[in-house]
Amino acid sequence: MKRAVEAGRGRRLQPLLEPESVTIIGASTDAQKISGRPLRYLLRHGYKGRIYPVNAGAGEVLGLAAYPEVRALPEVPDLAVICVPAARVPAALEACGEHGIPAAVVLSAGFAETGEEGARLQAQAASIAARSGMFLCGPNSVGVINVWRRLTASFSAHLEEGLLAGPIAFVSQSGAMGTTTFNRMQDEGLGFSYFVSSGNQALLEAVDFIEAFLHDDHTEVVAAYIEGVRDGSKVLRVGRLARELGKPIVVLKAGRTDSGRRAALSHTAAVTGSHAVYRTAFRQAGIVMVEDIEELVDACRLLSQHRSLPGARMAVISGSGGVSVLAADHFAKAGLEIPLLSPDTVTTLQQILPPFAACQNPVDVTGQLFASPRLLQAALATAAQDPSVDGIALVLSMAPPDAARRMAEDIVLFAPQSPKPLAVGWLGGSMVEEGRAIIRKAGIPLYTTLPALAAGLRILVEAGRRTQFVEAAHSVGVLPAPRREALERGGILPYLEARALLDHIGIEGPREAIVRDADEAVENAAQLGFPVAVKLLAPALSHKSEAGAVRVNLTTAHAVREAVGDLLEVARTRLAGEPGEGLLVQQMITGGSEFLLGLVRDAQFGNVLTLGAGGILVEVLRDVVHGLPPLSRGEAERMIGELAAARILDGVRGQPRRDREALIDALLRLSTLAETAGDAIEEMDINPLIVREEGRGAFAVDVRVVGRRGL
């Protein structure tokens, strides 16, 4: 039966989300109690399906015939709403399973969110539901609402008000956050298709509901409040599906800090991973990520109006130089660009605007727009024709009421004809409120603060991003048996086995040799060519520089002998006299910049790639970005573009340009290894990867690999 549940997660969860009949187990005769509200709300909002209250002590509940137990019901209902105390929930689920009820939502609290005993009850409930092939929402859920069908299987007080149907489906791990946001959106005229509180997610989790929502004909935008996911691969899968169906997903992710993650554990027993990894996964999946409730509401409004921006390049038009400068600061912080306008655009603006206006981006029309509001429309039309911009941000401040009204009317006339999307930030007070109302009524995105304007534009850019889902860029086939066997032994791989993995995927290293004493070191150094480095190899010395286990830039045989003596002494003190794997004599790679390439196994998302500033300061600078395999070339370029240290690639302070293509190639090859090795690698560091001058490649100077035990 378990297979039925797993398969159903990819379908529409119809018995749970679109039931034709509902039973309420533990339905109270007191309509004000939590266990009495679901029935009251179903009746209040006009649910058209059949309703069967189960109450062992009453023959009637709120005017409906009640039944003493589940097996006494006159039919097998689609959905069971369970309102009994936590200790009685397993028995209620057993009764539902025996009666063949296909779906249940458990509104009861007192499970994993409360501690060990609650976790035991939750595991028991999940086992019963899985064994019965039942779709289980919760426990600790606020409920399930299907607005179009008037299904209100919930006790939330926001159902005291009316319901506005619309195109937004919303799932929340937190009941309070979910109902608060639902109420806020309804107050702002945003209509819903569904609201689901996934609660402790004993079986079904938020991503399962997102997938179901995407298949619903009424739903055009999917929103979620998420504290954690169990299986990150689902995130990428629903992202792909959303792109195929043209339905955007917007997510507010909690648990970004250590204290936030601790709160998530205690609140709904969610296991949250690194926020940076979640951000990476959402971006690669094409999911819009927001920072707070205000942005979530705004994103749902914008996306339900089918708005997006094809890129991040904005033309800023303003009537104030100071305001436009502040706008530029906020835009940069949000990742938006303010490009130079083309010479033709600047020339046209110079002909239109007063001689003291600023005609380059950001454009300052000056206060003359109050005297001649049509000036604004002309500036907007000109900037919108510029091929170097993707959208128009109009930033206005104080204006006399009549001028504000005229400007607003001109904006409303311009917006439908504009070849580029328009958003307005109007910072004035009550004097411009009439103008703002005109713009609001026309459905043009409108903001009253610069941070909100920048955030709204960022949302539109993310919604317009075309995400590529690709196969691995390099094919290396199946890992050779010796390589996989080495990984499956677990622990830190010997250096030669780690280096063999790099050879297998085609990441080049310096010429090198492993030796045992000074004579061998000198002989091999002469063959390799000076300068060389000498390193002490041992699994216990993960960070060789910190352990004093490496000597570099050795230019003579005498220097090599001295280095070997020093390192053997380190071995005696740090390794109880054992030299470990021996000494590595390695050709020095000069004239390059150091980067870190890494691979780590994340509990939720599997293999995660890391690119960072390399060398000994990697953990101090923490200049790192992440990606999930398989990487597209575009994702590899995005990772490099977001790395602060990547500016070195373009040449700084008179240094030559570095081989960007070689760095991209190394990232793609590591991505392919991640796909090929599957879950066999726990950690992998290539540090440093030295990227040389343009056209001269990149070399992995050191590598550390940890195989995953217990496979």
Side-chain angles (χ1 to χ4, degrees), residues 67-155:
Y67 299 85
E69 55 187 349
V70 170
R71 62 184 176 182
L73 296 175
E75 67 168 303
V76 177
D78 290 330
L79 174 63
V81 182
I82 298 178
C83 307
V84 299
R88 292 168 50 197
V89 166
L93 286 170
E94 283 279 16
C96 290
E98 290 171 1
H99 200 59
I101 297 174
V105 53
V106 177
L107 306 184
S108 317
F111 292 88
E113 78 279 5
T114 63
E116 187 175 336
E117 176 58 22
R120 185 192 65 77
L121 275 176
Q122 182 168 311
Q124 186 182 358
S127 175
I128 293 166
R131 188 174 66 246
S132 303
M134 188 185 304
F135 298 126
L136 176 63
C137 178
N140 193 27
S141 168
V142 169
V144 174
I145 297 172
N146 180 332
V147 181
W148 289 98
R149 287 179 173 258
R150 318 310 285 179
L151 170 74
T152 53
S154 170
F155 61 82

Side-chain angles (χ1 to χ4, degrees), residues 4 47 51 66 116 130 265 280 303 314 339 356 364 386 426 471 498 619 646 691:
Y47 173 63
I51 306 173
E116 187 175 336
L265 284 168
T280 297
L303 299 177
M314 304 304 302
F356 44 86
D364 178 9
D386 194 296
W426 208 332
E471 301 302 325
E619 293 185 26
V691 181

Side-chain angles (χ1 to χ4, degrees), residues 523-537:
E523 179 184 351
N524 280 277
Q527 293 175 2
L528 294 172
F530 293 101
V532 297
V534 181
K535 305 175 183 180
L536 181 60
L537 297 179

